[in-house]
Amino acid sequence: MFSRLIIGCMRWGIWGSNLNKNQTSQLIETCIEEGFTTFDHADIYGDYTTEALFGSALEDIKLDRTQIQLISKCGIVLKNKTNIKHYNYDFDHIIKSVEQSLKNLHTDYLDMLLLHRPSPLLNPEVVAEAFQKLKNDGKVKSFGVSNFSTTQFELLNEFVKLETNQIEISATEPKAFFDGSLDQMMSKNIRPQAWSVMGNYFSDRNKNLTEIIKNLAEKHNVEEDLILLSFLLKHPSKILPIVGTTNINRIKNYNKAFDIKLNTEDWFRILEASRGKEVE
């Protein structure tokens, strides 16, 4: 069982806040204290360094491994590992990526492994074989994908049971409400995971959307980021938002989002402002 919010670790290291080990330990402990026990990684984060930073901090904390859930992803190969950025879902690459993630994270198993991006060369039989070995060896408990279309999801799901599709969803990027991704997961009783849940709201202001979010924040007596979270939480697919902040005060505030009950009209006000048009 994953926590109600997933903590995204992409920007903990050199791709963002560049936390040291002590700061990382403090952040992990704060997340757990707030009930956010699921942490989202990928092998490539921080140019292949962030998992090791997290694992080193985790080892110092010495908590019971069953208190947390670790997600990681594989499949993208960056230029600093090869001559060209590409995707690799060969059997050996999947196995070796997981084994390296386990070593970096100082753990014996991942709670979930995701394929990071769909590849034109993905062979579902090979992926299924690798996944089965990882499961049989006790190295990964469950599997999913990230950024897959509905047809790409269906193809792989015919060969191996997938537990999620981690996709971009936010008030500024609402395409998943219309492209069938959420419908598909609801039909399979699968909970979607959403990345970039704040979208570009705080960087590329949409005047109409900003006005609505600010008014709703005032109405509910909360910060704007909590309204953005509540927008996703209202959806019946039971979206699991991935929050990427390293700000401890913001993390301590996130539980308030679950107490916000946007009414239907307010939800559609956000959607209309984001899309720049009313629903048909």
Side-chain angles (χ1 to χ4, degrees), residues 7 44 47 62 73 77 158 175 207 222 231 243 254:
I7 302 298
I44 63 170
D47 289 334
K62 300 188 185 305
K73 311 176 199 72
V77 183
E158 289 183 10
K175 66 179 183 296
K207 184 178 178 181
V222 296
F231 176 71
V243 291
Y254 279 149

Side-chain angles (χ1 to χ4, degrees), residues 18-38:
N18 201 18
L19 303 177
N20 61 36
K21 185 164 72 167
N22 289 337
Q23 291 170 324
T24 302
S25 296
Q26 183 182 7
L27 189 53
I28 293 171
E29 290 175 324
T30 298
C31 292
I32 294 171
E33 288 168 3
E34 295 301 315
F36 307 139
T37 58
T38 305

Side-chain angles (χ1 to χ4, degrees), residues 5 24 31 68 83-84 86-87 107 118 138 146 148 154 156 192 207 209-210 226:
L5 289 183
T24 302
C31 292
I68 63 170
N83 293 322
I84 185 171
H86 64 282
Y87 306 132
T107 185
S146 182
F148 274 48
E154 287 295 344
L156 185 56
K207 184 178 178 181
L209 180 60
T210 299
L226 300 187

Side-chain angles (χ1 to χ4, degrees), residues 181-190 192 235-238:
S181 299
L182 297 178
D183 305 334
Q184 178 189 51
M185 283 184 270
M186 288 178 69
S187 72
K188 298 179 181 298
N189 197 28
I190 291 172
H235 195 271
S237 64
K238 301 178 180 178

Side-chain angles (χ1 to χ4, degrees), residues 229-237 261-265 267:
L229 283 176
S230 69
F231 176 71
L232 299 186
L233 293 171
K234 185 175 177 63
H235 195 271
S237 64
K261 305 301 178 186
L262 290 180
N263 63 43
T264 299
E265 290 186 3
W267 194 90

Side-chain angles (χ1 to χ4, degrees), residues 42 76 85 107 147 181 215:
I76 300 176
K85 183 179 179 181
T107 185
N147 305 299
S181 299
N215 287 340

